Amino acid sequence: MIPYGRQDIRQEDVEAVLEVLQSDFLTQGPQVPRFEQAVAEKVGARHALAVNSATSALHIACLALGLGEGDWLWTSPITFVASANCGLYCGAKVDFVDIDPRTYNLCPQALAAKLEQAERDGRLPKILVAVHLCGQPCDMQAIHQLAQRYGFKVIEDASHAIGGKYQSEYIGNGRYSDISVFSFHPVKIITTAEGGMALTHDDALAERMTLLRSHGITREPHLMTHAPDGPWYYQQVDLGFNYRMTELQAALGVAQMTRLDDYVARRNALAERYDTRLAELPLTTPWQHPDSVSARHLYVIRLDLTRIEKSHRDVFESLREQGIGVNLHYIPVHMQPYYRQLGFRQGDFPQAEAYYEEAISLPLFPTMSDAQQDEVVVAVRSAVSVQAS
Ligand SMILES: *Cc1c(COP(=O)(O)O)cnc(C)c1O
């Protein structure tokens, strides 16, 4: 089976992790700050906080931005559930903005219209989570303008997007958002096994997230509400969590970061190969914004079912049967039973639902060979062909 995504672990990664394993610190040592600095310097962020997952990063990002009961968080329905769940963790309500049928990211026009209505209804969002689906950046300038006009905060869920660029600057630099989040799950662009990061330009937000990452405990006298009892003193000043990344993970992250640009370049080369080889088939290949560089986490095709005499499911199953580890990113979040029980219904976000009827993610990872990719192309051709049915 050719998987849809796969990590690249080399000897130098193994050695970096082994070295930490034999060192004094397995956690809370020098590797985490080293990894944070490597990422912050690469993408041009002032602060970077490594945590144990992007989900944790989204949670503390929402808390640091003050999200709570009675507030609204908006995001795209075409994302991993974590982009929305972070709102529910904080006791807030979640709503969605339908996608742009060309980019599959949340549509800025739909956002503008929904904000206008929300202002009239007195239910403007406190936070918008902008998801850079497949690595393609959202229209951050448009989102930023709306954020200023309506007074909401912006989190970039850049779980798919480390190493990509928006208007020639690395994603995560925070020019148009308050906090950006990366994921280092093995299928993502670089990996720390599990792991994530929150990045921000704002000193106060960084301080708040640092506390929340580690139990709400500080040893910094200026953050304490009461004078220290003595040199041993630490104080809990907030209700935090243990969302820390280990030293092993951070060392792996440092090693992986040295290959970030190579990974993104190889992913783009493979994506362009798919584009040409699939061009004649009854499907839509991913549209790319000329203004940005996608990290190409996923390569999603949309079937033209009017020209294929098979169902979406038949094509998907045919690919799996041919040994191609296709997947579907994502089931619209509002259609999950958990979200339906909150009141969402089929028909709420028609563009997202239409996407779900047609989308298939093809294998894409930096160590995929041209030969493997050609195998995928042959399988796709056969799966969508009329004769094979
Ligand atoms: C993978 C992913 C997450 C969650 O990342 P974890 O590190 O697994 O917690 C969140 N949002 C999106 C869009 C993702 O793809």
Side-chain angles (χ1 to χ4, degrees):
M1 184 78 96
I2 301 175
Y4 90 86
R6 186 180 159 74
Q7 70 276 15
D8 170 41
I9 300 296
R10 302 198 190 166
Q11 190 55 31
E12 58 257 41
D13 299 312
V14 173
E15 278 159 20
V17 173
L18 281 180
E19 205 173 298
V20 171
L21 205 46
Q22 292 160 335
S23 76
D24 291 338
F25 296 101
L26 300 185
T27 186
Q28 295 173 287
Q31 297 299 329
V32 164
R34 221 180 128 209
F35 182 40
E36 291 171 338
Q37 195 185 342
V39 178
E41 274 177 10
K42 178 71 182 176
V43 307
R46 188 170 158 88
H47 302 281
L49 279 100
V51 287
N52 58 1
S53 72
T55 303
S56 302
L58 287 165
H59 186 195
I60 60 173
C62 287
L63 288 173
L65 290 168
L67 191 73
E69 234 166 277
D71 294 329
W72 287 91
L73 175 144
W74 290 6
T75 189
S76 168
I78 300 297
T79 185
F80 186 56
V81 291
S83 317
N85 286 346
C86 56
L88 301 183
Y89 294 160
C90 300
K93 286 174 277 190
V94 168
D95 202 354
F96 302 93
V97 180
D98 208 352
I99 62 165
D100 177 328
R102 187 165 64 166
T103 65
Y104 315 149
N105 282 327
L106 72 82
C107 170
Q109 286 76 37
L111 175 63
K114 196 176 172 95
L115 286 164
E116 222 173 274
Q117 182 64 45
E119 189 175 44
R120 285 196 292 271
D121 299 344
R123 36 164 280 181
L124 282 168
K126 184 163 208 163
I127 293 178
L128 177 78
V129 177
V131 183
H132 304 316
L133 192 77
C134 307
Q136 169 145 267
C138 292
D139 186 346
M140 290 309 299
Q141 238 174 336
I143 289 170
H144 179 67
Q145 273 169 14
L146 290 167
Q148 289 192 310
R149 170 149 167 223
Y150 291 98
F152 59 87
K153 305 291 183 187
V154 179
I155 297 174
E156 291 177 68
D157 184 343
S159 292
H160 299 182
I162 189 172
K165 289 179 179 171
Y166 176 69
Q167 295 177 346
S168 77
E169 292 182 326
Y170 278 107
I171 292 176
N173 76 349
R175 182 176 299 283
Y176 298 112
S177 66
D178 297 282
I179 297 172
S180 303
V181 168
F182 293 141
S183 171
F184 308 124
H185 182 279
V187 297
K188 306 286 165 80
I189 310 294
I190 63 163
T191 191
T192 60
E194 296 284 356
M197 196 170 274
L199 303 103
T200 184
H201 266 326
D202 186 300
D203 296 347
L205 288 175
E207 197 165 76
R208 189 85 209 288
M209 291 192 289
T210 303
L211 276 174
L212 291 167
R213 165 174 71 173
S214 197
H215 309 282
I217 282 173
T218 184
R219 289 178 187 273
E220 305 272 348
H222 78 276
L223 293 176
M224 293 180 184
T225 54
H226 297 75
D229 291 348
W232 59 83
Y233 194 68
Y234 58 88
Q235 191 173 98
Q236 182 181 343
V237 296
D238 204 340
L239 184 63
F241 308 88
N242 181 351
Y243 283 168
R244 294 187 304 258
M245 174 178 277
T246 69
E247 291 285 287
L248 305 164
Q249 292 169 300
L252 180 54
V254 170
Q256 294 259 313
M257 270 304 283
T258 63
R259 304 194 298 270
L260 176 63
D261 289 338
D262 295 342
Y263 286 152
V264 171
R266 177 63 183 156
R267 284 176 174 278
N268 272 279
L270 285 165
E272 281 157 27
R273 268 186 109 242
Y274 267 144
D275 287 346
T276 42
R277 281 157 179 77
L278 301 174
E280 305 302 316
L281 298 178
L283 50 84
T284 308
T285 55
W287 183 84
Q288 294 300 301
H289 200 289
D291 228 17
S292 55
V293 179
S294 172
R296 298 282 200 170
H297 167 52
L298 299 171
Y299 190 91
V300 174
I301 55 168
R302 275 182 79 161
L303 304 179
D304 181 353
L305 292 167
T306 62
R307 291 163 61 206
I308 301 172
E309 289 182 5
K310 279 186 200 164
S311 69
H312 181 226
R313 186 195 177 118
D314 287 341
V315 173
F316 190 96
E317 282 177 346
S318 159
L319 287 164
R320 281 275 177 95
E321 279 160 18
Q322 296 180 78
I324 311 301
V326 288
N327 246 300
L328 209 173
H329 302 91
Y330 293 93
I331 301 166
V333 180
H334 72 283
M335 289 171 70
Q336 289 287 351
Y338 193 89
Y339 279 83
R340 286 187 195 230
Q341 153 238 303
L342 299 176
F344 293 102
R345 293 210 192 91
Q346 189 147 7
D348 283 348
F349 304 100
Q351 294 294 349
E353 292 168 28
Y355 166 94
Y356 175 54
E357 304 282 308
E358 300 167 355
I360 296 177
S361 305
L362 300 183
L364 182 64
F365 48 95
T367 55
M368 181 159 88
S369 66
D370 289 2
Q372 277 179 311
Q373 186 177 38
D374 293 341
E375 217 180 296
V376 178
V377 170
V378 168
V380 173
R381 204 168 279 147
S382 146
V384 302
S385 74
V386 181
Q387 299 95 296
S389 63

